[in-house]
Amino acid sequence: MTTGAASLASIPPWLNVSTWWRTFGRPPRIMGLDIARAIAIIGMIGAHLGQTAETIELSDPSTWSAIVHGNPSLLFALLAGFSISLMTRRGAIAPADVPAMRLRMLGRGATIFVIGLFLELLNTPIAVILTLYGVLYVAIIPLLRWRTSRLILTAALLGLCGPPLLALLTTLSAGANGGGISLVLFGSYPITVWLCFGVTGMVLGRLRLDRTRTAVWFVVVGVVLLTIGYGLGDTGTSADPGLAWVESPRAWAGWLQLLGSAEPFERMLDAVLAAAPHSGGVMEILGAGGLGVAVIGVCILLSAPLRWVLLPFAALGSMPLSAYSAHVVSYVLMAGPGGFISSNETWVWSVVVLLIATTAWSIFSGRGPLERLTARVADAAASVPPGAQRP
């Protein structure tokens, strides 16, 4: 009797490629989301490797490369919400499956967190997002079965009220900088911003993504939001208003004097208007969120007519955790520990190599290696036997 491994090995490589080319990305998989994930990965690689402008001036095309700063990582968070929504059957989880699903999310988030810690130990100038990405998975666990209306309200409160309230907290905390606070509140992006994008993605992921009308609405609404956010916001280069403001007083007298002045409210207003990359301001949330939604809409619309052309990008986007980690490791191999790279040529070649490698892996091995690892840990956390159907 032939084993499964032997059967796979006996398949001619050309037949495997032909089958993959015809079937990969077909429903029920939503190929447009994979393509959008690939764009997020490519954008983050550009932010790490490329020679790009700091801010965008619409009248100057040479500055448009600044789009890779901040936007790709928030697109990644938005797509995480889509993935969570699809994993949880758009919120329609049977009550009996809820405990296992929550344990699975916990296992997945913990694994991503640990992978992020390992990548941080490589000592690159890259602000590794996976630790916060893992925290996001855990933070969303209580929201898995919430009604859509409740999720919409939560996303709105996080996006509109989170930045000014966090600015006030920054002022009143007198410069607190503990490890946990730095991770979830005062890092490149606070958890409030990531939660806003994750919850928004959960809401959008519950829509009929197979309908062209849905994708068109994504593009229209996204363009409106990015126009409001980046059109009305302050896109100056002073990132992270929560940390770049005037030093907070530490003495009680200074604290009371500050509380009685207008400065906390000025900082809250700055947090509303901030639209610079990694500022975490309301306007950046609107602008980056609108851009992300529009990109997802365009990717879904193009995934059918340009399917064959975009298949390598879909392969890359089908294993974002593996691709992102491979990029960080390759950065160390190219630059050395603590080294720095700034080259558009390196950016292009890194993307080309990653597209070829992930396409080949998808054809001959299927799921990405780290995606397979996180799935196994998630199943173990939920006490799911190997081969059993996941809820």
Side-chain angles (χ1 to χ4, degrees):
M1 183 175 177
T2 306
T3 63
S7 298
L8 288 175
S10 65
I11 297 176
W14 64 267
L15 183 59
N16 206 23
V17 173
S18 176
T19 301
W20 180 88
W21 206 260
R22 286 185 290 103
T23 61
F24 183 76
R26 298 290 189 186
R29 191 171 189 90
I30 303 172
M31 183 176 166
L33 297 183
D34 287 331
I35 298 169
R37 290 188 194 96
I39 290 175
I41 295 292
I42 293 170
M44 285 187 281
I45 294 175
H48 303 154
L49 295 177
Q51 292 177 314
T52 59
E54 292 298 322
T55 58
I56 295 178
E57 295 291 341
L58 293 180
S59 59
D60 184 4
S62 66
T63 67
W64 292 358
S65 60
I67 197 172
V68 301
H69 298 298
N71 293 302
S73 55
L74 289 179
L75 172 59
F76 207 55
L78 184 66
L79 288 163
F82 276 84
S83 299
I84 291 170
S85 182
L86 296 176
M87 282 190 298
T88 57
R89 299 174 184 172
R90 295 180 169 87
I93 317 172
D97 294 333
V98 171
M101 178 58 70
R102 287 175 174 168
L103 289 173
R104 181 172 287 107
M105 290 282 293
L106 180 62
R108 184 181 296 271
T111 305
I112 295 173
F113 185 87
V114 171
I115 294 172
L117 290 180
F118 170 77
L119 296 179
E120 288 183 354
L121 287 173
L122 297 180
N123 190 25
T124 69
I126 297 173
V128 176
I129 65 171
L130 294 188
T131 48
L132 198 53
Y133 197 62
V135 172
L136 174 66
Y137 266 85
V138 176
I140 279 181
I141 289 175
L143 286 58
L144 295 180
R145 297 190 70 236
W146 279 15
R147 297 188 303 272
T148 301
S149 59
R150 196 175 179 184
L151 290 176
I152 293 174
L153 178 60
T154 300
L157 289 175
L158 287 169
L160 299 178
C161 302
L165 291 178
L166 187 60
L168 180 61
L169 177 62
T170 305
T171 304
L172 301 183
S173 66
N177 58 359
I181 292 176
S182 298
L183 172 65
V184 301
L185 294 181
F186 301 148
S188 297
Y189 279 119
I191 190 62
T192 51
V193 175
W194 280 71
L195 266 178
C196 174
F197 278 76
V199 174
T200 301
M202 289 178 65
V203 172
L204 299 179
R206 293 183 177 184
L207 301 177
R208 290 293 302 273
L209 301 178
D210 57 329
R211 291 181 175 176
T212 301
R213 182 172 59 182
T214 302
V216 171
W217 273 111
F218 280 3
V219 175
V220 173
V221 173
V223 169
V224 170
L225 290 177
L226 75 88
T227 301
I228 294 173
Y230 289 139
L232 300 180
D234 178 8
T235 56
T237 58
S238 58
D240 196 356
L243 297 179
W245 292 328
V246 180
E247 182 181 358
S248 300
R250 296 181 179 276
W252 279 103
W255 185 86
L256 292 173
Q257 182 180 3
L258 177 63
L259 188 61
S261 69
E263 189 172 341
F265 303 101
E266 293 173 355
R267 297 183 180 185
M268 293 174 69
L269 179 60
D270 287 342
V272 171
L273 298 177
H278 299 288
S279 65
V282 173
M283 290 302 172
E284 187 199 10
I285 291 174
L286 290 176
L291 178 61
V293 172
V295 166
I296 293 171
V298 171
C299 289
I300 293 175
L301 289 173
L302 295 181
S303 60
L306 299 180
R307 179 178 178 274
W308 284 17
V309 176
L310 297 174
L311 270 175
F313 293 90
L316 170 59
S318 71
M319 51 187 84
L321 181 59
S322 298
Y324 181 90
S325 300
H327 157 61
V328 177
V329 172
S330 68
Y331 192 105
V332 176
L333 296 177
M334 290 186 293
F340 180 76
I341 300 175
S342 179
S343 166
N344 287 336
E345 183 179 354
T346 304
W347 175 16
V348 172
W349 278 110
S350 296
V351 171
V352 170
V353 170
L354 205 52
L355 285 170
I356 294 173
T358 52
T359 300
W361 185 282
S362 179
I363 292 172
F364 297 108
S365 297
R367 201 173 203 176
L370 293 184
E371 283 72 20
R372 195 170 295 172
L373 172 64
T374 56
R376 288 180 177 176
V377 174
D379 285 346
S383 300
V384 177
Q389 185 177 5
R390 297 182 178 92

